[in-house]
Amino acid sequence: MWLAAVIIGLVAGILSLIGIRAGNRLGRHFSQWAEIAGGCVLLLVGLRILLTHLMFL
């Protein structure tokens, strides 16, 4: 039973390291565009929540 937990932990750790390294490399190239895109997504999510609570959707 503990072997499954160890394997899951190792896979999660390795994939996290890969994601961190890929994020660092991609961040250098797409940082400005990613900030703008992320801001737009947050605005749309906030607008959707507001309209949902005002019962327009």
Side-chain angles (χ1 to χ4, degrees):
M1 190 66 150
W2 60 270
L3 181 61
V6 170
I7 291 172
I8 290 170
L10 286 173
V11 170
I14 290 168
L15 290 176
S16 294
L17 287 174
I18 291 170
I20 289 171
R21 289 183 181 231
N24 283 336
R25 287 187 181 174
L26 292 174
R28 287 185 225 134
H29 299 291
F30 299 110
S31 63
Q32 183 68 28
W33 180 85
E35 286 183 28
I36 293 170
C40 290
V41 168
L42 287 175
L43 285 172
L44 291 174
V45 168
L47 183 63
R48 164 104 180 169
I49 291 170
L50 176 65
L51 293 176
T52 300
H53 286 288
L54 293 176
M55 296 188 198
F56 288 120
L57 291 178

